[in-house]
Amino acid sequence: MAFDLTNIKLVIFDLDGTLVESNEQEIDYFFKALRLEVGTDIDTDISQYPDRTFSSVINSMNSTISYQDLYEKLELKMTDFVQRVTWISLPLGKKLLQQTIEQELDYFVVTGNFKQASIDKAALANIELPEERVYCTTLEFASKGKVIQTLISKHNYSPYEVLSIGDSQYDKDIADQLGLNFLWATA
């Protein structure tokens, strides 16, 4: 089934649950690694953090370690974790990505994870993502919405020219807040 991309100039893909099957062990591993670094108990429900991203969790920590050092340590640990897990591409998301590329539309993958871990995860699921197409939340931009908004502005797109593809209500809410078209990546 081909999706009508008429009037769409930019497609924003979520990664986990959209292009690659989500793995709940990843979030558990992140929180265990974070707990070891900060040395205190922390809330492990990512939905309780302001932007539901790894960066927003780090930004909310009360730690003697600098946020940047903490981010870099966790980025290495998460990249190592990704390398040790089997990742599976999701057929609908992969098909939509292929269609986007075939139609020569601009696209980005935006995730709340770490960049190298995200690129590696996709590659292990047989999805090659050029580094310049992958954007992740950072300590400065801990919100996926802010990352997407910045990309749209930087590349001079209007919200009605953008299609966001995701698998969660969180993804849909971001698209709605930014006035973007949205497509559920669930079959």
Side-chain angles (χ1 to χ4, degrees):
M1 175 181 109
F3 184 73
D4 182 12
L5 296 172
T6 306
N7 301 321
I8 299 298
K9 295 183 180 175
L10 172 65
V11 182
I12 302 288
F13 289 89
D14 175 47
L15 180 63
D16 292 287
T18 300
L19 295 174
V20 175
E21 193 172 279
S22 296
N23 181 328
E24 285 304 316
Q25 292 176 356
E26 182 177 27
I27 292 174
D28 292 342
Y29 185 86
F30 168 79
F31 279 110
K32 286 176 187 171
L34 178 60
R35 190 177 309 120
L36 287 172
E37 291 297 330
V38 298
T40 61
D41 279 339
I42 51 177
D43 187 349
T44 60
D45 181 356
I46 199 159
S47 70
Q48 297 305 306
Y49 291 89
D51 295 302
R52 295 181 45 171
T53 66
F54 290 161
S55 296
S56 70
V57 173
I58 293 168
N59 279 337
S60 70
M61 291 294 100
N62 208 357
S63 173
T64 58
I65 303 170
S66 81
Y67 291 125
Q68 188 61 44
D69 287 346
L70 191 54
Y71 183 92
E72 290 171 7
K73 286 179 180 182
L74 289 166
E75 183 173 29
L76 290 173
K77 289 181 179 190
M78 295 310 296
T79 300
D80 179 61
F81 171 83
V82 164
Q83 293 294 326
R84 295 183 280 116
V85 174
T86 300
W87 298 95
I88 300 167
S89 64
L90 293 171
L92 179 57
K94 190 172 182 178
K95 183 176 182 176
L96 291 167
L97 177 63
Q98 289 168 337
Q99 184 179 352
T100 298
I101 293 168
E102 288 168 5
Q103 292 191 21
E104 298 180 357
L105 296 171
D106 203 1
Y107 74 94
F108 296 107
V109 175
V110 179
T111 178
N113 203 318
F114 297 99
K115 186 165 187 163
Q116 192 57 56
S118 297
I119 292 169
D120 291 352
K121 182 189 301 182
L124 291 165
N126 295 314
I127 299 173
E128 296 303 321
L129 296 175
E131 185 175 343
E132 67 274 7
R133 297 281 175 195
V134 178
Y135 284 81
C136 298
T137 56
T138 63
L139 294 176
E140 182 182 0
F141 295 105
S143 159
K144 279 178 63 175
K146 183 67 174 170
V147 173
I148 293 168
Q149 185 177 39
T150 301
L151 284 169
I152 292 168
S153 177
K154 179 180 175 184
H155 294 277
N156 297 313
Y157 291 111
S158 296
Y160 68 87
E161 298 173 313
V162 181
L163 173 64
S164 176
I165 301 176
D167 70 305
S168 70
Q169 187 62 47
Y170 176 66
D171 296 327
K172 171 91 168 81
D173 291 345
I174 290 171
D176 289 347
Q177 289 168 4
L178 297 175
L180 311 179
N181 298 287
F182 184 79
L183 178 66
W184 289 99
T186 52

